[in-house]
Amino acid sequence: KKGGGGSIVVVGGGYAGVETAAVIAERLKTKGLSNSINCVLLTADGSIMSSSPSGQREAAEKVLDQAGVEVKRNLQVTELSAITDEYTTSDDDENDNSNGTSTSSSTDSGVLMKLKESKSESSSSVSSSLSLRADVVIWSAGSTPAPRAQKDTTGLSLPFPSNSRGATCTEPTLRVTGEERVFALGDVAMQSTN
């Protein structure tokens, strides 16, 4: 990202999401990048690994805290959209190109996530609209693909090609078919057969 800094967001507070966020944060520390790249874990529940015994949850919370992972609770992602911002930089403050200074255009890209607060006993019936920007999003929420019929009846629209059972179609490299920067793996993906 231009000017340093950045963010990696892991969506899903189950075993896979917690482990992924912890490993990313650990690698960022090892590479000396933990101060410039933020690692965030989003979970729709009030706690991570909600179906696990309390001892495991507490141990995982401690690992994430020590690794510097920011855990955001009771949030569901409702929409993902690519963002591209173009901006101009100049070698001098006055944009005077007559003395050999240069001006250049650059592009900053990422993902904008629209969020809604999950229902909890303490939340009011009024929900606020929230958003979060990320440079990288890793999706680990859910354990099965949404069937095409469910996608149609719920209004859930995923911008990726899927097969008849709802699995996202991928190339042998796990890159989503037709996408340059999106990958899918595990139970929600299926390699395309052409």
Side-chain angles (χ1 to χ4, degrees):
K1 183 174 157 181
K2 182 75 177 174
S7 63
I8 299 171
V9 176
V10 179
V11 180
Y15 289 110
V18 168
E19 185 171 355
T20 300
V23 168
I24 289 170
E26 177 183 303
R27 297 280 167 92
L28 290 172
K29 275 188 178 182
T30 301
K31 301 282 184 185
L33 299 171
S34 60
N35 290 331
S36 61
I37 300 175
N38 189 30
C39 185
V40 177
L41 176 66
L42 290 181
T43 180
D45 293 325
S47 67
I48 60 169
M49 299 171 25
S50 60
S51 62
S52 301
S54 62
Q56 288 181 358
R57 286 194 307 271
E58 291 166 9
E61 290 275 3
K62 184 176 180 181
V63 167
L64 292 174
D65 184 54
Q66 290 173 344
V69 175
E70 179 183 358
V71 179
K72 294 183 178 274
R73 303 166 199 284
N74 296 314
L75 293 172
Q76 293 178 321
V77 178
T78 59
E79 185 180 328
L80 295 171
S81 58
I83 51 175
T84 303
D85 296 324
E86 291 193 32
Y87 51 88
T88 304
T89 59
S90 176
D91 286 348
D92 68 356
D93 292 336
E94 294 152 16
N95 287 334
D96 178 9
N97 293 331
S98 61
N99 293 327
T101 60
S102 64
T103 302
S104 64
S105 278
S106 298
T107 302
D108 184 23
S109 60
V111 177
L112 182 65
M113 295 182 287
K114 290 188 180 175
L115 310 169
K116 73 174 186 178
E117 293 179 272
S118 303
K119 300 217 184 246
S120 68
E121 296 93 36
S122 62
S123 68
S124 67
S125 60
V126 178
S127 73
S128 56
S129 177
L130 307 167
S131 63
L132 181 64
R133 185 201 180 283
D135 295 293
V136 175
V137 175
I138 300 171
W139 196 276
S140 67
S143 58
T144 59
R148 185 175 299 280
Q150 180 185 5
K151 290 177 187 176
D152 294 340
T153 60
T154 63
L156 174 66
S157 71
L158 301 175
F160 310 120
S162 59
N163 66 13
S164 59
R165 72 175 188 87
T168 300
C169 298
T170 65
E171 298 168 1
T173 60
L174 302 178
R175 183 183 315 266
V176 172
T177 304
E179 297 291 330
E180 186 176 319
R181 297 177 56 193
V182 179
F183 295 82
L185 63 144
D187 294 338
V188 298
M190 179 69 69
Q191 182 177 334
S192 300
T193 55
N194 293 348

